[in-house]
Amino acid sequence: MKLVWSPESASKAYIDTVKSCRNFKESGVAEFLSAMAAGWNAKLIVEAWSHGGPIATSVGLSVAARHAGARHVCVVPDERSRSAYVKAMYEFGMSATEMVVGDAEEVMVRLAGVDFLVVDCKRKDLARVLRFARFSHKGAVLACKNACQRAAAGGGTSAGFRWHGVLQRGTRVVRSVFLPVGQGLDIAHVGSNNGRGENPKKSPSRWIKHIDQRSGEVHLFRG
């Protein structure tokens, strides 16, 4: 089995997120990730939120979960972060999603079958969140936002981000790409773990369209 792309779900999630986040500073990243999560028909969407960060992406992932009939879980390190997240979602007019509080290793191993994972590069435990994630047997899509800020802080350039250095040994990266959306998105597609996953040389390419809400520019990215 493998992840199957649904253009209709992606389009609906994108439009609904645009409506919800039209006045938000993080607009663009939220719509893009929402469309990806819904388009891949993810059933377990996990978000590793950074305390004090914008909430637009969380809103977008909640929208995607609704369209895909998915479970949306937010992972935070402590009660302070949990309270801040719940408050931010409430102020945005959204009910808080399911939350898991605790150390990255402890909480990620409890979430088996992750289809779509979003991690804020501002989190100090970024590598541990990725390393201990338990992906779906169909494969998964991973997105690290604020990638440029990680590079500026000494985490290396986006082009030098090595997925094999942070993922669990044996995880097969089908393809990866850096996208100049927001403060930078590092995205990877990891293959199924049943030995019958896609052959990256034979896998058909898919184009993802992103429209910058501020400039009106249209960007096409090969997925």
Side-chain angles (χ1 to χ4, degrees), residues 41-222:
N41 197 32
K43 294 307 175 187
L44 177 53
I45 301 171
V46 176
E47 170 193 9
W49 187 70
S50 176
H51 184 272
I55 206 70
T57 294
S58 303
V59 173
L61 294 177
S62 291
V63 170
R66 184 172 70 246
H67 282 286
R71 177 185 173 196
H72 173 207
V73 181
C74 179
V75 173
V76 292
D78 49 44
E79 285 297 327
R80 174 171 168 266
S81 297
R82 186 197 67 77
S83 297
Y85 181 90
V86 171
K87 180 180 179 181
M89 288 287 278
Y90 177 78
E91 292 177 346
F92 205 76
M94 302 286 291
S95 57
T97 186
E98 179 182 348
M99 302 199 71
V100 181
V101 182
D103 176 78
E105 178 179 358
E106 175 189 351
V107 300
M108 293 307 296
V109 297
R110 289 160 47 192
L111 298 171
V114 177
D115 297 299
F116 199 87
L117 174 62
V118 178
V119 187
D120 193 331
C121 287
K122 293 180 180 179
R123 286 188 59 135
K124 296 180 180 179
D125 59 355
L126 165 69
R128 296 178 66 226
V129 170
L130 292 169
R131 188 176 304 279
F132 292 108
R134 300 176 64 188
F135 304 124
S136 166
H137 64 280
K138 297 181 297 182
V141 175
L142 320 178
C144 294
K145 68 175 190 173
N146 292 318
C148 293
Q149 292 187 28
R150 181 197 65 236
T157 63
S158 298
F161 186 63
R162 298 174 181 173
W163 288 99
H164 287 296
V166 294
L167 296 175
Q168 189 176 57
R169 185 176 181 180
T171 302
R172 185 169 61 87
V173 179
V174 177
R175 62 175 67 87
S176 63
V177 64
F178 170 77
L179 303 180
V181 180
Q183 293 300 312
L185 283 173
D186 269 314
I187 296 179
H189 173 201
V190 297
S192 59
N193 59 12
N194 58 12
R196 300 192 302 274
E198 294 181 86
N199 182 331
K201 295 183 179 179
K202 298 181 180 180
S203 176
S205 296
R206 299 178 177 85
W207 288 94
I208 300 171
K209 182 170 73 173
H210 172 260
I211 302 176
D212 191 305
Q213 296 299 306
R214 295 182 179 178
S215 67
E217 294 181 347
V218 178
H219 304 281
L220 291 176
F221 305 111
R222 191 184 296 273

